[in-house]
Amino acid sequence: MKKIKVIAFDADDTLWVNEPIFTKTQKEFKTLLEPYLTGDEIDTKLYNAEIRNLRLFGYGVKGFMLSMIETAIELTQGKITGSEIQRIIDLGKEMIEHPIEVLPNVEETIKLLQDQYELMVITKGDLFDQESKIARSGLGIYFSKVEIVSEKNEQSYLNIIRKNNIIADEFIMIGNSLKSDILPVCKIGAHAVHIPFHVTWAHELVETHQIEGVAYQELADISLLPELLNQFLIV
Amino acid sequence: MKKIKVIAFDADDTLWVNEPIFTKTQKEFKTLLEPYLTGDEIDTKLYNAEIRNLRLFGYGVKGFMLSMIETAIELTQGKITGSEIQRIIDLGKEMIEHPIEVLPNVEETIKLLQDQYELMVITKGDLFDQESKIARSGLGIYFSKVEIVSEKNEQSYLNIIRKNNIIADEFIMIGNSLKSDILPVCKIGAHAVHIPFHVTWAHELVETHQIEGVAYQELADISLLPELLNQFLIV
């Protein structure tokens, strides 16, 4: 194994809190619909709308807002009021403006690594949202490159490493999603470290058989990353 | 003047039709609101909502959809029905799936230029939408780089030319928007060619005094571009 030269970090739920903001909004969305209906039907219908709309909207808050509105109209048979729909839009706007909560040990670890490695961010989703979050996180200064892609798959990782003249075996990806941050990276011959987050969007979950035989590392906390990278050197 | 080495094209209303799709949808949106109110108030209110929401949503169809919904709720004092709001969402989805209509002479001209110059696309807006449009246009094969940015200003052009090791004096931008494609490019010492399109979104218009003293070329049609570039060589 060669020495790792480039470390790329996922952003949402790796560098800062993201999924809990969606979860909180979804809870408020369910409260809003309580006068019309109850139960878990709302979660299922909303998830179905999100997945159905991914093809047209991609990832991000704006698509989530539109999927909430569609779900509300469908589940109330069109009885939802204009002011209730405005409330859904306002919930979405609050998500976009939500303060960035950098995860514990992230900045300290990145500071430790910045002299020895080239650091990047590779994140998927809405260009406008992600740029805003990177700027507001204050972490932008540590990264030589920020790549915002519409989907994280083998092809998009290949494009990024080719474009930046990176050798796959010298590249390691750090992230919380097995589906987006680990599997496609390992498949192109690069390295990956999984740092699980306490909640994961259902769409990012993978079946056990998909990760069988895939060689990646798992860490409980980002603060353990420098030591892991030192071990890479010895192998 | 040095020889031009890199030609960058704007996408919407330079390579393919875009603004007329927004105009057509806005007309249908006004028809939808006819039972509640009439007149030009709708256009003004919608434009105000779009500009107010730019800060949160950025450019693109999803933000336009959300601004239409907000405007409809506001102008009908919340009386708009769920099914009418679903109709607005469906109008937006039709925009996203609208077939790409490549403008006349675009492909022929690009084919002529591709051997002699490095060709790029620089477009602003929604990452997901713009990637989809480039793919569906069939023009992707001619461009060595596609840069999708959230805003076109001096800083974003500087970032692009630095990142790609381009010398400003060897770079020319081709586009229909004086505000986004011409002014910021000339200000960083690069070259620009304005090819006006028959409709321009109000937000992209500039005051006459803003272009006074700015040196750029204007062409009536993209097919005149190869000859103009040959003249650049002689200067």
Side-chain angles (χ1 to χ4, degrees), chain A residues 53-58 62 66 70 73 78 82 85-86 89 93 96-97 126-128 131 148-150, chain B residues 53-58 62 69-70 73 78 82 85-86 89 93 96-97 126-128 131 148-150:
Chain A
N53 286 331
L54 264 187
R55 183 184 66 86
L56 291 175
F57 298 156
K62 287 178 296 223
L66 290 163
E70 277 202 339
I73 294 169
I85 289 179
Q86 184 60 52
I89 295 179
K93 287 184 175 181
I96 293 172
E97 295 202 277
D126 188 89
L127 177 67
F128 192 77
E131 280 184 357
I148 300 168
V149 292
S150 57
Chain B
N53 285 332
L54 263 188
R55 183 184 66 85
L56 292 175
F57 298 156
K62 286 178 297 226
I69 296 171
E70 278 202 339
I73 294 169
I85 289 178
Q86 184 59 52
I89 295 178
K93 288 184 174 179
I96 294 171
E97 296 203 276
D126 188 89
L127 178 67
F128 193 77
E131 280 185 356
I148 300 168
V149 293
S150 58

Side-chain angles (χ1 to χ4, degrees), chain A residues 52-53 56-57 62-74 85 88-89, chain B residues 25 29 32 61-62 64-66 68-69 72 80-97:
Chain A
R52 186 178 66 232
N53 286 331
L56 291 175
F57 298 156
K62 287 178 296 223
F64 183 61
M65 291 163 79
L66 290 163
S67 293
M68 282 195 288
I69 296 171
E70 277 202 339
T71 304
I73 294 169
E74 187 191 344
I85 289 179
I88 296 173
I89 295 179
Chain B
T25 303
F29 174 68
L32 188 80
V61 175
K62 286 178 297 226
F64 183 60
M65 290 162 79
L66 290 163
M68 283 195 290
I69 296 171
I80 186 140
T81 66
S83 65
E84 286 163 335
I85 289 178
Q86 184 59 52
R87 175 73 191 127
I88 296 173
I89 295 178
D90 291 339
L91 285 175
K93 288 184 174 179
E94 284 167 26
M95 292 177 77
I96 294 171
E97 296 203 276

